[in-house]
Amino acid sequence: MDYFKKQLDLLKTEREEDRKSYQQMTESTSVAERRANGLSWYPIAIRGSEMSRGDYLTVEIERTTHQDIPHQLRFGASAVLFSNHNRKDDHLDGTISYQSGNRLKITLRTDELPDWANDGKLGIDLLFDDNSYDEMQAALKQADALPDKDPSARLVKILTGEMAPAFHTDLPPYTNPALNASQQAAVQKILTANDLAIVHGPPGTGKTTTLVQAIKALIRQDGRQILVVAPSNTAVDLLSEKLSEEGLNVLRVGNPARVSERLMSLTLDSKVSEHPSVKEIKRLKKQANEFRDMAHKYKRNFGKAEREQRKALFDEARKIMKEVGNTEQYIIDDLITKAQVITATLVGANHYTVKNQRYHTVVIDEAGQALEPACWIPILKGQKVVLAGDHCQLSPTIKSDEAARKGLSTTLLEKCTALYPESVTLLEEQYRMHETIMGYSSRIFYGDKLKAHASVAGHLLFSEDSPLSFVDTAGCGFDEKLEGTSTTNPEEAVFLFKHLTQLVASLGTYYQPKDFPTVAVISPYKQQIQLLKEQLQHSPTLLPYADKISVNTIDSFQGQERDIVYISMTRSNTENNIGFLSDTRRMNVAMTRARKKLVVIGDSGTLSGFGFYASFISYAESKNAYQSAWEFMDI
């Protein structure tokens, strides 16, 4: 089918670009550079090892220094254990099977550690993530070749636009006093849909709350197990926790990003460790490791008899591990059968423990940030899909401009929303923003349908404050500069912190430091963020509030909120060139993070050449929220 051929081509283009940028980052770089880029842990110490499934060895590792550097080593990722004495020859590939804080476990394709592992200078490097691409590619090929008798065949035809979705019309109306009218309508749509329901959740409208109640209602409806997935571990964690709080039996497949006790108790590892049959596994593993340790004693003095004895001991250890594998599988099958909800990332839905599970309903949250090829992994396990998200916020990160341009950046959520408006429910009431902050976003992105709940519609930092401010730097000579590939505007950064300092001083009469409002300072440009972070360090009057002020890119704030948000627009030039400020979805995310006050600082001369910003400036003027930076020049 041409539909999937096109997706396969786009995925191939993306994979090649991703691999190319990975190679550029790793091939000629030192271990210190790889560590700085989040691709390595070095140095590390081995804290223990044990035999695991097959002829594999699981090694526990601790990062002993540079512990504050953010990294990309995650559960399920391919990685390599290496010796920096001789990186070319001394390395072993494996898969990260657990990661938390500064510890991880890596399962290596060997039954014993090589001699070089005792000589120090060890590290872990992240390998290129072929596994995710392989899973996505396999799902697209499977969808393309799906026989008509397959339970998912009808769903595939609907999602590719060949058939229209259907609904039961005979169900009684769903009522839940804890939900507002549009949230109840969304749950009703999910219950009545035969194949497809879409929850369009703008910022602050309670999408997660709605989904959790819908999943509860689905389980009440027919008792069938549900698969709940999302593109990020953080989104999966949030849903897992909320579903568990509602009393559902949740099984979290994979390794949570947030290490809370509640979440850990939902994981397969934790549930296995509490299973009555686990004593038998511990006994067998101990025995297998004893045989392995005995075999290691024969390592140094080798003759024929010793070699045979060593082999016999390893064979015995393997035989016991096979028994361990069978007992583990029995426990896992038992736990999976009892779970009401299985939660995982999109790729994690194919984890070996649940690979062959089928479900009636699959729920995909944050579908606006999910690559379409990844969505097909869980979809092919179900007959009905619920897509939840907001295609008016950030789309997935795509490395290849060509793949994005040719359609990879268009998500399944976006396509289905356009194809089947009858499947969509828009959540219309938001619980985050003052109505003036919400107003522009509602008009441009949501057909003016959003309303602010009474509890937030008029909330302010203090009674005389204004919720919105556009501070115009036109004519101030705040010119942008190019730093490498990123744009900066040093004068705008200095001005922003002067403005914030003044605001913080005026808030001092209303708030104690401990209940001080939270502040986000955001910009689309990474280099501008660096300048803003430096400015914060050089603002002594703000330091007492440093734990209340976060400075970061817009993308890193998706899904979050703060009392006060400052946006540094950064662009200021005579050519009206606004670069990727033209991605209005990113701006929608930025403008909807603020609860009580939004301050946008930018050059109207540069911005108003683009309709979206010209209209925003007019909106600010209509709300008496336009100010010139000149008014603040003496501060």
Side-chain angles (χ1 to χ4, degrees), residues 280-335:
E280 178 61 6
I281 285 184
K282 280 189 175 147
R283 188 184 66 75
L284 289 167
K285 271 190 176 171
K286 187 166 176 267
Q287 212 178 342
N289 282 317
E290 280 166 4
F291 278 119
R292 186 191 66 161
D293 293 344
M294 280 157 68
H296 286 164
K297 293 198 177 84
Y298 288 102
K299 210 163 183 175
R300 298 280 170 247
N301 45 355
F302 253 48
K304 186 171 181 296
E306 285 85 0
R307 194 173 290 118
E308 280 174 6
Q309 183 61 31
R310 175 181 156 90
K311 184 182 176 303
L313 288 164
F314 266 127
D315 285 347
E316 193 56 41
R318 280 195 198 102
K319 205 163 83 194
I320 296 168
M321 283 311 292
K322 208 171 176 140
E323 214 178 312
V324 167
N326 293 339
T327 313
E328 268 180 356
Q329 198 54 54
Y330 158 75
I331 295 177
I332 287 166
D333 292 345
D334 185 42
L335 289 168

Side-chain angles (χ1 to χ4, degrees), residues 3-44:
Y3 185 95
F4 291 107
K5 298 274 187 293
K6 182 183 176 193
Q7 287 288 322
L8 281 161
D9 286 347
L10 293 172
L11 187 66
K12 185 175 176 224
T13 308
E14 172 68 1
R15 183 183 204 148
E16 283 164 5
E17 182 59 37
D18 197 2
R19 185 188 295 280
K20 202 168 81 185
S21 64
Y22 172 83
Q23 281 167 343
Q24 280 168 349
M25 275 177 84
T26 55
E27 272 182 355
S28 54
T29 52
S30 67
V31 70
E33 287 169 301
R34 292 198 304 276
R35 181 173 60 202
N37 284 326
L39 302 174
S40 280
W41 278 12
Y42 182 85
I44 56 160

Side-chain angles (χ1 to χ4, degrees), residues 357-528:
Q357 287 291 103
R358 298 295 294 247
Y359 312 85
H360 183 263
T361 303
V362 174
V363 177
I364 304 180
D365 190 20
E366 300 296 2
Q369 284 186 277
L371 272 186
E372 179 175 339
C375 289
W376 287 101
I377 299 168
I379 286 169
L380 292 172
K381 299 173 181 297
Q383 296 166 46
K384 164 174 169 174
V385 69
V386 177
L387 299 175
D390 183 8
H391 50 283
C392 304
Q393 293 186 63
L394 287 171
S395 50
T397 306
I398 293 170
K399 300 271 180 22
S400 160
D401 292 341
E402 184 194 344
R405 204 175 51 250
K406 289 185 174 171
L408 193 62
S409 61
T410 308
T411 58
L412 198 57
L413 175 72
E414 206 171 338
K415 289 180 188 174
C416 291
T417 300
L419 274 173
Y420 307 120
E422 68 274 24
S423 291
V424 182
T425 311
L426 174 72
L427 301 181
E428 293 175 358
E429 195 163 16
Q430 66 81 20
Y431 297 82
R432 174 183 299 163
M433 295 162 270
H434 187 287
E435 59 192 355
T436 306
I437 298 173
M438 171 200 81
Y440 187 64
S441 170
S442 177
R443 182 190 302 172
I444 300 295
F445 295 99
Y446 308 109
D448 242 343
K449 291 200 175 102
L450 287 193
K451 32 185 203 297
H453 184 262
S455 61
V456 300
H459 67 180
L460 293 164
L461 292 167
F462 54 92
S463 57
E464 303 78 51
D465 194 34
S466 56
L468 178 67
S469 179
F470 173 71
V471 184
D472 188 358
T473 63
C476 293
F478 294 180
D479 294 333
E480 66 180 62
K481 298 179 175 42
L482 195 62
E483 296 218 4
T485 55
S486 192
T487 305
T488 63
N489 193 324
E491 283 101 338
E492 185 176 287
V494 171
F495 174 78
L496 185 150
F497 273 96
K498 274 187 180 165
H499 192 285
L500 176 58
T501 303
Q502 192 185 38
L503 176 66
V504 166
S506 68
L507 291 174
T509 52
Y510 300 93
Y511 296 95
Q512 293 298 313
K514 66 175 189 314
D515 58 5
F516 202 79
T518 53
V519 183
V521 177
I522 56 184
S523 168
Y525 292 95
K526 282 201 178 105
Q527 282 305 118
Q528 184 71 352

